[in-house]
Amino acid sequence: MADWRNIIERQLSEYPPRLSLEEAAILYDDADQNELLHAGLMMRRKRVPGNKVTYLVDRNVNYTNVCTINCQFCSFYRPPGHEETYTQSTDQISARFSELEAIGGTRVLMQGGVNPDLPLDWYLSLIAELRARHPSLALDCFSPIEIEGIADVCKISTKEVLRRLKQAGMHGLPGGGAEMLVDEIRLDVSPKKGSSDNWLRVMEEAQELGLTTSATNVIGFGESNFHRVQHMEGVRQLQDRSLQRGLTGFTSFIAWPVQLENNSFGKRNKGQNRIELGTGVHEYLRHVAIARLFFDNIPHIQASWPTMGMGVAQLALFAGADDAGSTMMEENVVSASGTTKTLAGEDELQRTIIRAGFVPQKRDSDYNNLRTQIIEEGLLPCAPPIQPV
Ligand code: SF4
């Protein structure tokens, strides 16, 4: 069996070979923490050269909390008929978009539950109206399970739902709902979400249609390190197929730990002393480094400040992440399960990046660089200590 030192040595070579699933699991299980994080940082410098860390000024909008899927880790949803359900009107959503425009935002991430009372026409007129009122904002909306829910209600294919949403003005399909793409884990915590193949199939359809997509990963359900790498393997295989077909594929990969408060998953394990649940800093950073080494076909790895905090997000930049995520402005899904910080100003993200020793670079949803006032006006407080490679 390969030794973790040899694997890291090969990854640090001039032409590193593709990291196999088995090698990634060995690194995850055995590699020295400092060596692994260093390898992640070196690979980041190879794949995303320079010293910039990108970020996005956006906002989340959770348009409905009605959902029939009952994921065990979710504290956000309410079943149909529950007294706390809501569905926002176009005007309510549009008002939130206007707040984002006022601070120079460029992207909205709009997601909700699987609401059986909303037909496709409701979504199409919502997207078309928002597109018309807010032409400068990229509308990255829904997730594969919401697309499946709409397809079920309307008795048409998921691909057709995506096609019509794109025609109405949708820009991207964010990668929410992937959680753990290993069926024995997935079907335990989200049995109604269906198999991993469902998520991958809908994302592939979105990529075929030219929608911007990202890949996500939630860890800490008690899965093994091998399961975590299996998740990455499913995403990497799809990315290979898409790139071979000349598609853009996933722009980025972002992972975060499951939250254990206020949800069935936390309650069912309470008092059982299952210390393997959730994720600590040490483990999260290993995951970021493994992702950077594993994904030779996905350019950007994000750090997750809402679940790990700004300090750990800074450390993630030294484990291979090259993107600090987004301002969000509001978040109601993960926060319902225990995170406390769900918004950050652009200046706060910039400060976080600068104080970690990098240069902040504003971007759009497709990772195109945008004008970043603090750089262009020479307002950086001091020369960042880390030099570009
Ligand atoms: S995570 Fe999404 S699909 Fe699952 S219950 Fe919550 S809102 Fe519904």
Side-chain angles (χ1 to χ4, degrees):
M1 182 182 283
D3 179 80
W4 66 265
R5 291 177 189 79
N6 297 333
I7 300 170
I8 285 195
E9 200 178 303
R10 285 198 296 276
Q11 289 300 306
L12 291 175
S13 65
E14 192 175 355
Y15 300 105
R18 171 167 271 198
L19 192 65
S20 73
L21 195 146
E22 291 72 22
E23 288 173 329
I26 290 169
L27 289 185
Y28 217 137
D29 288 342
D30 299 338
D32 172 83
Q33 182 83 351
N34 290 334
E35 302 274 351
L36 180 59
L37 270 48
H38 174 72
L41 177 62
M42 291 301 109
M43 192 60 83
R44 179 272 210 240
R45 290 180 173 177
K46 196 181 277 271
R47 299 213 172 115
V48 189
N51 199 29
K52 287 186 173 166
V53 168
T54 46
Y55 66 91
L56 183 61
V57 178
D58 75 348
R59 98 169 279 160
N60 285 18
V61 172
N62 301 115
Y63 65 97
T64 183
N65 69 346
V66 179
C67 190
T68 55
I69 302 298
N70 315 340
C71 300
Q72 293 211 350
F73 51 82
C74 180
S75 321
F76 162 73
Y77 84 94
R78 295 291 180 270
H82 191 283
E83 60 184 16
E84 292 170 3
T85 57
Y86 73 79
T87 299
Q88 292 170 350
S89 67
T90 303
D91 285 343
Q92 286 172 319
I93 296 171
S94 178
R96 286 176 157 76
F97 282 28
S98 297
E99 289 171 2
L100 176 64
E101 286 170 323
I103 61 162
T106 58
R107 191 283 289 261
V108 175
L109 192 146
M110 188 164 70
Q111 293 184 311
V114 175
N115 187 334
D117 293 329
L118 301 180
L120 177 59
D121 284 347
W122 184 89
Y123 290 93
L124 294 177
S125 58
L126 175 71
I127 296 291
E129 183 63 27
L130 292 170
R131 174 79 281 137
R133 290 193 204 179
H134 306 278
S136 68
L137 296 178
L139 307 182
D140 291 346
C141 306
F142 318 123
S143 62
I145 189 66
E146 287 164 89
I147 300 300
E148 286 191 80
I150 299 168
D152 271 358
V153 167
C154 303
K155 307 288 177 239
I156 57 175
S157 69
T158 48
K159 181 100 181 252
E160 183 60 13
V161 171
L162 288 167
R163 195 186 64 73
R164 293 201 203 171
L165 286 169
K166 182 171 187 228
Q167 211 170 36
M170 191 167 94
H171 168 267
L173 179 69
E179 282 100 36
M180 185 58 61
L181 296 173
V182 177
D183 285 345
E184 65 183 282
I185 308 295
R186 183 176 185 77
L187 298 177
D188 177 43
V189 294
S190 299
K192 289 198 207 163
K193 256 188 184 148
S195 71
S196 311
D197 288 345
N198 277 4
W199 188 92
L200 291 163
R201 176 184 53 77
V202 177
M203 292 313 277
E204 187 162 17
E205 290 170 352
Q207 292 174 1
E208 285 165 358
L209 291 166
L211 291 160
T212 293
T213 60
S214 55
T216 62
N217 182 198
V218 181
I219 57 176
F221 297 107
E223 72 282 352
S224 67
N225 292 340
F226 192 76
H227 287 140
R228 293 177 182 182
V229 182
Q230 275 185 304
H231 172 101
M232 293 185 197
E233 176 71 358
V235 172
R236 190 169 72 173
Q237 284 178 0
L238 170 54
Q239 186 77 345
D240 277 345
R241 281 201 302 280
S242 293
L243 295 183
Q244 277 160 14
R245 297 167 67 193
L247 307 171
T248 302
F250 297 112
T251 55
S252 57
F253 177 84
I254 175 168
W256 63 87
V258 63
Q259 305 300 301
L260 298 172
E261 299 298 320
N262 311 324
N263 56 39
S264 310
F265 185 70
K267 280 184 199 135
R268 99 179 185 198
N269 291 297
K270 208 173 182 99
Q272 294 188 39
N273 197 26
R274 291 189 64 195
I275 54 168
E276 76 276 21
L277 299 182
T279 310
V281 174
H282 175 272
E283 204 176 341
Y284 169 73
L285 294 174
R286 290 179 86 74
H287 198 71
V288 171
I290 298 283
R292 172 54 79 193
L293 296 173
F294 194 79
F295 287 117
D296 56 356
N297 56 5
I298 297 183
H300 302 291
I301 306 290
Q302 280 190 29
S304 175
W305 61 260
T307 52
M308 297 307 298
M310 288 299 184
V312 177
Q314 287 175 313
L315 291 174
L317 301 179
F318 290 93
D322 65 299
D323 186 272
S326 67
T327 51
M328 302 213 305
M329 287 184 78
E330 82 173 84
E331 202 288 329
N332 304 293
V333 180
V334 178
S335 57
S337 293
T339 61
T340 51
K341 183 169 174 54
T342 58
L343 64 94
E346 182 176 5
D347 56 344
E348 187 179 2
L349 279 188
Q350 290 178 337
R351 243 191 343 266
T352 299
I353 293 165
I354 291 166
R355 288 186 174 162
F358 296 87
V359 175
Q361 173 64 61
K362 186 175 176 180
R363 66 168 171 89
D364 66 12
S365 176
D366 297 303
Y367 283 81
N368 297 306
N369 288 346
L370 299 175
R371 185 174 177 275
T372 310
Q373 198 180 357
I374 195 169
I375 300 175
E376 291 183 8
E377 296 182 6
L379 299 176
L380 282 178
C382 60
I386 299 171
Q387 293 307 310
V389 172

